[in-house]
Amino acid sequence: MVRFSCVPFAFFLVLVVSTFTIQTVNAGGEGSLRLQDCPNACNVRCSKTQYKSACLEFCNYCCKRCLCVPSGFYGHTGECPCYDNIKTKEGKHKCP
């Protein structure tokens, strides 16, 4: 009779979960991008807006200052406090 060991499966499961957690925690944090990564990150961020030109202009401006672009197409600005704190003269968020 073959005995089944759960140790290899448990190790694999812990490895997968910890890798996912590390990637999720570090995603979008300030300084997580290099300057040359900003255009690609902003292309993703602005891909679903009808105001693509303005979105790309302000996203790249903010990314160059913060080296960070929040994940997703909208919201999640809490991932990048610097990005979230850049405001217009009227006090509205400048970064998309």
Side-chain angles (χ1 to χ4, degrees):
M1 185 168 166
V2 177
R3 183 169 178 200
F4 179 72
S5 175
C6 292
V7 175
F9 178 72
F11 177 75
F12 175 74
L13 189 60
V14 168
L15 183 65
V16 168
V17 170
S18 64
T19 302
F20 176 75
T21 303
I22 290 168
Q23 289 174 348
T24 304
V25 168
N26 292 333
E30 283 186 46
S32 64
L33 295 176
R34 295 172 297 174
L35 197 55
Q36 61 265 28
D37 296 332
C38 287
N40 288 335
C42 288
N43 279 334
V44 172
R45 180 80 173 169
C46 297
S47 65
K48 292 193 176 189
T49 183
Q50 61 182 348
Y51 306 106
K52 193 166 187 111
S53 178
C55 182
L56 287 171
E57 179 182 345
F58 290 112
C59 181
N60 279 297
Y61 169 82
C62 297
C63 183
K64 287 175 184 170
R65 285 188 60 184
C66 302
L67 295 178
C68 177
V69 174
S71 62
F73 307 108
Y74 183 79
H76 307 286
T77 55
E79 295 175 359
C80 305
C82 169
Y83 193 95
D84 194 35
N85 291 331
I86 299 174
K87 308 273 196 248
T88 63
K89 292 179 213 174
E90 294 81 27
K92 297 180 181 178
H93 292 286
K94 188 172 199 166
C95 304

